[in-house]
Amino acid sequence: MPEVQNITIAEDDGSPRLDRWLRRRFPGVAQGRIERMCRKGEIRVDGRRAQASLRLAPGQTVRVPPIADAPSRAASSASRTAQGSRVSEADAQMIRAAVLYRDDDVIALNKPPGIATQGGAGQNDRHLDAFADALRFGRSDRPRLVHRLDRDTSGALLLARTPRAAAGLAKALKARDARKVYWAAVAGAPRPTEGSIRSGLVKRATGGQKEKMILVAPDEVSATPGARLAETEYTVIEAAAKRAAWVALSPITGRTHQLRVHMASIGCPIVGDGKYGGRAQENAGDGWGANLGGGVSRKLHLHARSIAIAHPVTGKTLRVTAPLPDHMARTWALFGWDTETAPADPFAES
């Protein structure tokens, strides 16, 4: 039987309206039904009744009643998988093997590339939220996602095992008290070798294609509906002449596709990123990824290498480091880049 869900709003969810957030999460639930559930008090935010038009904030918890009987197949699938009621043994073993750290309050995963964090429109049933049931480890409650990574981005991802831990982690993420370091292989070599990229980002449909994030000048953000300021620090760890570079990235803000857009904006798109890097990143000839050669995978070369955050219960710094996925490890080996000699946090001094 379906159960009541308590879902914590992630930092990179932004501040959506409650009804729009619910429709994204459960695509088959009609607007009228959402409004009825709000009027009846079945949907609550931080334990209180909420109107459908309420603006959500990261760290808040939304109580969602059982909705497996939603009228569409998509909604039924979203509800079923969100509860993790159908996790194959192979998927359960895979996601347990991805655990990097676990205690009574927190689980840290090395998210595999190609698996979405959450379900929704356009996603299949294989996403991390669907696998959460396999991460109970003897608990009656499922762990909760507190932030996200893009489907094709791998690396360190945190889940909370208790409501207290979920609130504490979400608060730290919202306050930008977490240090996140990403590794990427990019086409070309950034000049200067370190710096900060600051711009606005807004989602737009371009040229009849699917929506993507578009750059907006910082001084035009306030006048651009839907635009939000984004800032990224970067530094080159090692370069292969001018053809490619191993870059560390630190997102000061947490906007959708921020790192991908920012690296493309300085002429050094992330290898494998056809969405923002252009067709050269999807080269179907002898070489994948910016024509770097047959040994370079066409998969996205973006990895959440580490995260450091205050533990939500003990207050001590929790540091988690995630090994590279196979396709990136092969690229690093091809260029002779040694992960053992890289600084744990190349931004620490600055």
Side-chain angles (χ1 to χ4, degrees):
M1 292 293 292
E3 303 172 351
V4 170
Q5 300 178 64
N6 290 286
I7 306 172
T8 301
I9 303 301
E11 192 274 337
D12 52 1
D13 278 323
S15 301
R17 283 172 49 122
L18 174 60
D19 52 357
R20 293 171 184 169
W21 178 84
L22 285 164
R23 290 204 306 272
R24 287 201 306 266
R25 188 70 185 261
F26 304 99
V29 179
Q31 178 71 21
R33 189 175 185 207
I34 291 173
E35 293 177 0
R36 286 196 300 274
M37 289 190 290
C38 287
R39 287 197 301 269
K40 293 179 180 179
E42 295 174 346
I43 294 175
R44 291 176 176 259
V45 177
D46 288 342
R48 299 179 180 178
R49 288 176 175 264
Q51 296 182 350
S53 60
L54 175 71
R55 287 282 177 183
L56 298 173
Q60 289 185 314
T61 299
V62 181
R63 177 195 183 277
V64 182
I67 58 172
D69 58 345
S72 78
R73 179 180 178 182
S76 180
S77 174
S79 179
R80 180 181 68 251
T81 57
Q83 297 162 39
S85 58
R86 296 187 180 180
V87 184
S88 71
E89 185 58 32
D91 283 337
Q93 292 180 8
M94 177 273 295
I95 203 62
R96 288 171 188 151
V99 173
L100 297 169
Y101 172 85
R102 171 166 62 96
D103 63 22
D104 290 341
D105 306 288
V106 180
I107 292 175
L109 297 177
N110 186 6
K111 186 187 89 64
I115 295 179
T117 307
Q118 294 176 309
Q123 302 292 350
N124 58 31
D125 289 355
R126 298 189 71 250
H127 52 81
L128 289 186
D129 208 20
F131 300 156
D133 201 54
L135 298 173
R136 292 176 186 261
F137 296 110
R139 292 283 185 86
S140 58
D141 294 332
R142 306 166 69 247
R144 306 176 185 183
L145 293 163
V146 292
H147 65 125
R148 292 191 304 240
L149 293 174
D150 290 345
R151 182 187 64 185
D152 295 322
T153 302
S154 56
L157 185 73
L158 301 178
L159 297 90
R161 304 189 73 189
T162 66
R164 177 185 178 186
L169 291 172
K171 181 179 179 180
L173 289 164
K174 180 182 179 182
R176 302 176 186 172
D177 288 336
R179 164 66 81 179
K180 300 177 184 177
V181 175
Y182 288 72
W183 282 358
V186 302
R191 290 291 184 271
T193 57
E194 63 181 32
S196 177
I197 306 169
R198 189 169 181 267
S199 75
L201 292 177
V202 64
K203 185 178 291 186
R204 292 284 186 268
T206 59
Q209 300 178 352
K210 293 183 178 179
E211 289 184 325
K212 60 190 297 187
M213 303 305 291
I214 303 299
L215 285 170
V216 176
D219 58 358
E220 296 178 3
V221 170
S222 60
T224 305
R228 303 178 72 189
L229 196 63
E231 184 173 1
T232 300
E233 293 180 340
Y234 76 88
T235 185
V236 175
I237 297 178
E238 195 166 348
K242 295 182 180 180
R243 297 197 66 194
W246 168 12
V247 176
L249 303 165
S250 179
I252 306 304
T253 54
R255 313 304 183 207
T256 301
H257 296 175
Q258 172 180 322
L259 303 181
R260 296 164 62 182
V261 178
H262 276 171
M263 292 313 297
S265 74
I266 63 170
C268 294
I270 296 174
V271 173
D273 187 4
K275 189 178 187 76
Y276 297 103
R279 298 184 66 179
Q281 298 302 312
E282 297 179 333
N283 174 34
D286 292 334
W288 293 110
N291 302 303
L292 291 177
V296 178
S297 170
R298 62 177 172 177
K299 293 181 179 179
L300 186 69
H301 283 57
L302 180 60
H303 177 70
R305 172 64 173 176
S306 65
I307 185 169
I309 193 170
H311 191 282
V313 175
T314 68
K316 296 180 179 179
T317 300
L318 171 62
R319 291 185 176 87
V320 178
T321 301
L324 288 173
D326 289 344
H327 75 281
M328 290 182 67
R330 290 194 298 270
T331 298
W332 262 238
L334 177 69
F335 289 114
W337 296 338
D338 185 2
T339 61
E340 296 299 322
T341 60
D345 184 354
F347 305 98
E349 291 186 1
S350 60

